[in-house]
Amino acid sequence: MNRSKATPYVFLAPAVILFLLFTAYPIVASIVLSFQKFEGGSYVFTGFDNYIRLIHDSIFQTALVNTFIIFILQVPFMLLLSMILANVLNSQLLRLKGFFRVSFFLPAVTSLVAYSLLFSVLLQDNGLINELITNFGMSAIPWLTDGTWAKISIVLAMTWRWTGYNMIIYLAALQNIPHEMYEAAKMDGAGKIRQFFSITIPSLKPVILFTGILSTIGTLQLFDEPFNLTGGGPANSTMTLGLYIYENGFEYFDFNYASAVAYVVVMLVAVLSIIQFKVTGDK
Amino acid sequence: MKTKTGRKHLLGKVSMYGFLLVFLIISVFPFYWMFIGATNPSSSMFASPPTFIPGSHFMENLRNLDNNVGIWRVLFNSLFVAGLYVVLALAISTTAAYAFAKFSFKGRNVIFTVFLLSMMIPYQATLIPLFQMMANFNLLNTYFALIAPQLCYPFAIFLMRQNFLSFPTELLESARLDGAGEWRIFMQIVLPSMKPALAATSIFLFMFQWNNFMWPLIAIRTPDMYTFPVALSTLSGVSYTDYGQVMMGITIATVPILIFFLAMQKHFITGMLGSALK
């Protein structure tokens, strides 16, 4: 009896120890760091100084605004697109479903660094995309050298990488909606679009919330793409919070300030997740 | 009347396939362009009109890339780190998941909730203390630093737990009545039936570690310890970038995982579907 009582803890011990050491401790330690300053060889408490400094920091403000612009342009667009694709792939009339499903998922397999570099080649001023655009008689687009276009480039790249991933999640959820619901709606004379808004979207709510929160966390941490695609430029136009944490921490070695920025990201994730819970959650 | 609905039907079908075809090209073409780039000289990627056929510079790009970043060493680092990581992380998450799914004990729900909530905390909030920890113990620039910090990966625990939940508890009870020890039950009765779940979880773990970038970028100091993504990111030079090399590097980083994914895609996609649903 005694032995079986200890069993679950034995099974759990390695995970818990590693969690405490490498996740829980760092989370707490970085809160502490964010309220400190390195002075005369040791850390001293300075209260909210780092956070007050953030309010007056124009690069931080730029990073915050950029992250939000990318978030607002990218997440709803991508989620809508993946939902449409999932719906089409769920259609009973469609052939080659498996082939399309795997092909659309392929981008999600590549590393963030690899695809960022691939896009940086495609989006050069004289790269393939501009070559195609000018062939259609339009003028070349300064994808990576203009502030606005650089943000759009990041949005497009991220959409390429993640749409198929979200599509698979929606597809799974769609397959769980009983087919009879659509049959019944059809009998009542509801068209395809009506069915989509009255059956599909409400049934998908929990999954939309799930993908929404995942994408929010991902976008607020955005680092690999701006680091490799644009380097945060031109003129900080693609500077993100993730990149700013890295710069402060590992280029200027200001661990305290970088920790404060990291905690702004933590708070934003929390706030945005709560908002999404309120909007999509059951009332 | 009949032909009218038939025509409408056909039109719907054509536009559906058209839409999918456009999306198919967008999804797959960059991969093709990557192969083209890897086999052509740097300048051909910006040629007008563009070249869409493989060239003869494969070996030259490979040689240049190797001279630049020592790809075999870097490839070994990435494979070694990802391989060892998968084995250890899988063992840790499988045992933990089993405890969560099949035992009731004090603190179970609290610990599980804390694990799940930690997935909401951005990775970046832990980077600096982790860096300091590794620096204090003189562990920066080691395989240990690359592998240890993410060994407890809550998503893997979650994924495995979902699968253990569906394992019949009666089977465990009868094995206990027969006098089998807990460890033996786990190893000989439970695990063998979990192969698909273990496959799906190990793919996730492998991809996570193979593609991991920010932490290795911080934890590694010397080129001989670089992982593949870190080595790749050093390729775009400040003044001149050899895009043939870049494309070759991307190809080497992508092809193994692409083949792995295509071979395992059934497990992978069901693994994903399971995790999203329950």
Side-chain angles (χ1 to χ4, degrees):
Chain A
M1 206 58 211
N2 213 3
R3 190 193 59 163
S4 80
K5 237 183 180 169
T7 308
Y9 297 106
V10 175
F11 275 91
L12 208 54
V16 170
I17 293 168
L18 286 163
F19 182 84
L20 291 175
L21 205 59
F22 295 123
T23 307
Y25 164 75
I27 288 172
V28 176
S30 67
I31 299 183
V32 175
L33 275 173
S34 78
F35 290 107
Q36 292 175 327
K37 196 176 190 156
F38 195 68
E39 253 175 18
S42 62
Y43 290 105
V44 288
F45 273 93
T46 54
F48 283 93
D49 278 11
N50 288 317
Y51 292 94
I52 293 165
R53 187 176 146 199
L54 281 176
I55 297 169
H56 302 289
D57 179 348
S58 67
I59 301 178
F60 169 74
Q61 284 159 14
T62 309
L64 194 64
V65 171
N66 289 343
T67 305
F68 266 94
I69 292 175
I70 294 169
F71 173 74
I72 287 166
L73 290 179
Q74 204 264 329
V75 175
F77 172 56
M78 170 188 67
L79 292 186
L80 187 69
L81 192 62
S82 18
M83 208 177 296
I84 294 171
L85 282 171
N87 251 287
V88 175
L89 285 197
N90 199 39
S91 152
Q92 296 195 310
L93 305 167
L94 187 75
R95 284 157 189 279
L96 299 172
K97 269 181 208 173
F99 169 73
F100 282 118
R101 199 168 64 182
V102 170
S103 308
F104 294 168
F105 191 79
L106 276 188
V109 178
T110 62
S111 90
L112 300 180
V113 174
Y115 100 90
S116 303
L117 290 172
L118 186 61
F119 272 72
S120 83
V121 177
L122 284 166
L123 295 172
Q124 293 289 315
D125 283 342
N126 53 352
L128 182 69
I129 306 277
N130 272 343
E131 175 72 25
L132 295 178
I133 288 175
T134 47
N135 266 341
F136 282 108
M138 287 177 277
S139 53
I141 291 170
W143 292 105
L144 302 174
T145 46
D146 172 84
T148 307
W149 284 108
K151 283 194 212 39
I152 294 173
S153 298
I154 288 192
V155 167
L156 291 176
M158 289 171 74
T159 306
W160 181 79
R161 173 66 166 67
W162 292 106
T163 300
Y165 179 89
N166 290 293
M167 177 200 79
I168 292 288
I169 297 177
Y170 288 138
L171 201 54
L174 283 176
Q175 283 166 358
N176 266 15
I177 303 176
H179 197 68
E180 295 77 47
M181 278 174 80
Y182 290 103
E183 293 296 332
K186 221 177 187 173
M187 297 277 242
D188 293 341
K192 285 264 178 235
I193 292 173
R194 182 72 202 278
Q195 288 174 28
F196 181 74
F197 284 103
S198 317
I199 301 175
T200 312
I201 300 262
S203 316
L204 288 186
K205 262 189 178 180
V207 183
I208 295 173
L209 177 67
F210 174 80
T211 54
I213 290 177
L214 276 189
S215 310
T216 305
I217 298 174
T219 312
L220 291 184
Q221 295 190 68
L222 193 61
F223 174 75
D224 296 18
E225 289 91 339
F227 186 90
N228 288 295
L229 188 57
T230 56
N236 287 333
S237 62
T238 52
M239 173 62 78
T240 58
L241 295 171
L243 204 52
Y244 200 48
I245 294 170
Y246 175 80
E247 280 196 356
N248 277 297
F250 301 97
E251 279 174 21
Y252 316 140
F253 290 98
D254 190 341
F255 290 153
N256 305 103
Y257 195 52
S259 297
V261 183
Y263 263 85
V264 172
V265 176
V266 173
M267 285 182 275
L268 287 174
V269 168
V271 170
L272 288 174
S273 302
I274 291 168
I275 293 174
Q276 290 180 48
F277 260 109
K278 291 262 188 247
V279 173
T280 21
D282 292 326
K283 273 153 214 153
Chain B
M1 200 61 202
K2 206 169 182 186
T3 49
K4 207 175 167 191
T5 48
R7 201 176 296 156
K8 207 177 148 195
H9 203 80
L10 188 70
L11 201 71
K13 232 176 173 178
V14 167
S15 57
M16 182 169 81
Y17 279 103
F19 174 69
L20 290 178
L21 193 67
V22 169
F23 215 77
L24 182 72
I25 293 169
I26 293 172
S27 295
V28 176
F29 179 77
F31 290 102
Y32 180 70
W33 188 243
M34 173 183 88
F35 290 114
I36 296 302
T39 59
N40 276 302
S42 190
S43 57
S44 79
M45 265 150 276
F46 307 104
S48 172
T51 334
F52 289 108
I53 47 167
S56 57
H57 275 64
F58 184 87
M59 287 314 289
E60 197 183 326
N61 287 334
L62 190 64
R63 219 175 304 124
N64 290 339
L65 180 68
D66 189 35
N67 288 336
N68 217 338
V69 293
I71 43 164
W72 305 118
R73 168 80 200 191
V74 166
L75 197 61
F76 168 79
N77 288 344
S78 262
L79 280 172
F80 177 73
V81 167
L84 192 58
Y85 174 79
V86 170
V87 174
L88 296 175
L90 194 64
I92 288 158
S93 43
T94 305
T95 46
Y98 180 63
F100 283 128
K102 287 295 166 199
F103 292 93
S104 55
F105 53 92
K106 232 185 178 163
R108 181 179 73 171
N109 293 340
V110 176
I111 303 173
F112 189 63
T113 311
V114 169
F115 275 16
L116 285 189
L117 279 179
S118 78
M119 288 201 277
M120 306 264 296
I121 303 272
Y123 185 32
Q124 290 150 354
T126 63
L127 283 176
I128 288 163
L130 276 178
F131 175 82
Q132 290 181 319
M133 201 193 281
M134 294 298 166
N136 287 339
F137 290 106
N138 243 332
L139 287 166
L140 286 176
N141 216 32
T142 62
Y143 291 123
F144 179 86
L146 289 174
I147 294 170
Q150 283 104 35
L151 276 180
C152 176
Y153 191 54
F155 182 68
I157 297 178
F158 178 73
L159 207 63
M160 283 309 301
R161 177 182 166 271
Q162 297 305 111
N163 287 288
F164 282 130
L165 283 177
S166 58
F167 188 88
T169 310
E170 303 80 57
L171 230 59
L172 300 179
E173 297 296 346
S174 65
R176 276 181 198 132
L177 285 178
D178 289 345
E182 292 295 340
W183 184 248
R184 214 180 124 205
I185 295 175
F186 176 68
M187 292 301 282
Q188 294 188 348
I189 301 173
V190 184
L191 273 195
S193 71
M194 287 291 143
K195 275 182 191 147
L198 291 169
T201 310
S202 42
I203 300 172
F204 267 101
L205 290 168
F206 185 84
M207 283 199 13
F208 165 73
Q209 190 58 266
W210 177 263
N211 291 336
N212 194 6
F213 176 59
M214 198 178 188
W215 172 246
L217 180 71
I218 290 163
I220 295 308
R221 320 262 93 184
T222 57
D224 65 310
M225 285 298 290
Y226 281 170
T227 57
F228 220 99
V230 179
L232 272 184
S233 84
T234 64
L235 283 179
S236 36
V238 186
S239 52
Y240 168 75
T241 303
D242 178 347
Y243 289 101
Q245 272 184 49
V246 172
M247 296 298 245
M248 177 54 79
I250 299 170
T251 305
I252 298 174
T254 309
V255 167
I257 199 126
L258 216 57
I259 293 171
F260 191 55
F261 166 72
L262 289 173
M264 305 283 268
Q265 43 99 1
K266 265 218 164 80
H267 291 308
F268 191 86
I269 288 180
T270 25
M272 283 236 356
L273 299 187
S275 75
L277 278 178
K278 288 161 196 164

